[in-house]
Amino acid sequence: LRDQAVLFRASDHADGLEVELMRRNIPYRKFGGLKFLEAAHVKDLLAILRWADNPKNQVTAFRVCQLVDGIGPKAARAAFAHLEGQNWNLAALASFMNVNRGADSATWIDLAGLMAELTNPTREWCGQIAAVRDWYTPLLEARYDGVAARLSDLDQLEAISGRFATREQFLSELTLDPPQASSDRPQECSLDEDYLNLSTIHSAKGQEWETIFVLNVADGNLPSEFATGATEKTEEERRLTYVAMTRAKTQLHMLAPLKFYVPEQQKFGAKHVYGTRSRFFPDTMMPLFDQSVWPSEFDPVERGLAAPAAKIDIGSKLLSSWD
């Protein structure tokens, strides 16, 4: 894997890939931007879900409480103690009155309402991340820079959550280390282990790999939608595309998605918009590439459809076991 790299225009384009790599226990090293699940805003949102899943989780409780302005470590400990006295009923957060005078009481009350909603046994998993985002987005906008990219990360996280049937299953597939463990910094892989390289195109300048995969070769992504209004910016995007293509020593794969699925839809929802191949690759250039479509239209295994089950005569097999 060390001789292979996946390149992308923006760091959030690789969010879904990073989650899949972690699920499959495939090590990777990322150049340019934090690893998806190590970004502070992603940890914040996952901490809220994890606290709803286990009210006794002190690490996540401290992180969530301190998202509210005016709540420090002392007040967070007091809130956790109050919760213990209320038999770990997260709805009881609303009755915690020993909040610092400078605390944002309205946000705290809204947090109590959110946690009560998330812990309601009749509340379906679908839509829970959307509810958390409604509460968390104003805090994100006030707390962090690069808001647009961070909101895009949360879009990706919400889209990924639709693959799981329950909150418990979703959280068990992801890891959320305590803040002290990672300090919101990407971890380097050991030089003795194999790993896949992930990199933004900007960070790939001056480097080469045997095989390159370039993600999202579609208008709006490459070139970026923010660069298409001016000729100078579009030409800079063209040069950036050239940089991506010339990082490959032997093999180059340009991946253009046919569909972009719309976030915030029900599980197994199929709402989507069609992608448009990057303007940098017009039809006149396509004969220079070997073109293929995945999954194959005629291969049920590649399309994710169950293969026809083999017919087994269970009665005969049981009888033969007594011979």
Side-chain angles (χ1 to χ4, degrees), residues 98-114:
N98 296 325
V99 181
N100 295 347
R101 291 184 177 180
D104 185 346
S105 58
T107 302
W108 180 265
I109 295 298
D110 289 342
L111 172 62
L114 171 66

Side-chain angles (χ1 to χ4, degrees), residues 50-51 54-66 73 76-78 80-81 84 88:
R50 193 173 289 275
W51 194 21
N54 179 12
K56 298 180 182 180
N57 190 326
Q58 190 172 20
V59 172
T60 56
F62 278 18
R63 186 180 187 109
V64 174
C65 288
Q66 294 181 73
R77 284 192 292 270
F80 192 76
E84 183 177 8
W88 306 111

Side-chain angles (χ1 to χ4, degrees), residues 185-300:
R185 292 186 178 181
Q187 301 291 324
E188 287 291 338
C189 297
S190 168
L191 295 178
D192 296 327
E193 66 179 330
D194 199 9
Y195 53 83
L196 179 65
N197 296 286
L198 274 60
S199 176
T200 60
I201 300 174
H202 280 103
S203 299
K205 292 179 179 179
Q207 303 191 67
E208 288 184 327
W209 291 274
E210 291 293 332
T211 302
I212 291 291
F213 299 85
V214 183
L215 299 182
N216 288 355
V217 185
D219 259 14
N221 294 304
L222 192 66
S224 168
E225 61 182 322
F226 302 109
T228 55
T231 303
E232 298 81 3
K233 292 182 178 180
T234 303
E235 288 305 308
E236 178 59 30
E237 295 288 306
R238 191 189 304 275
R239 286 189 288 270
L240 200 60
T241 305
Y242 173 80
V243 169
M245 297 177 68
T246 53
R247 298 311 91 197
K249 293 181 180 179
T250 57
Q251 293 188 50
L252 173 65
H253 302 268
M254 308 292 286
L255 308 180
L258 299 177
K259 298 177 180 178
F260 290 90
Y261 284 90
V262 177
E264 301 184 24
Q265 56 178 308
Q266 295 182 350
K267 184 176 176 62
F268 303 121
K271 295 180 181 178
H272 63 271
V273 294
Y274 288 100
T276 303
R277 189 175 67 238
S278 172
R279 66 189 65 187
F280 299 150
F281 299 91
D283 291 341
T284 54
M285 286 185 59
M286 298 318 295
L288 302 175
F289 292 85
D290 293 328
Q291 301 181 57
S292 61
V293 177
W294 188 93
S296 171
E297 184 178 357
F298 304 104
D299 189 335

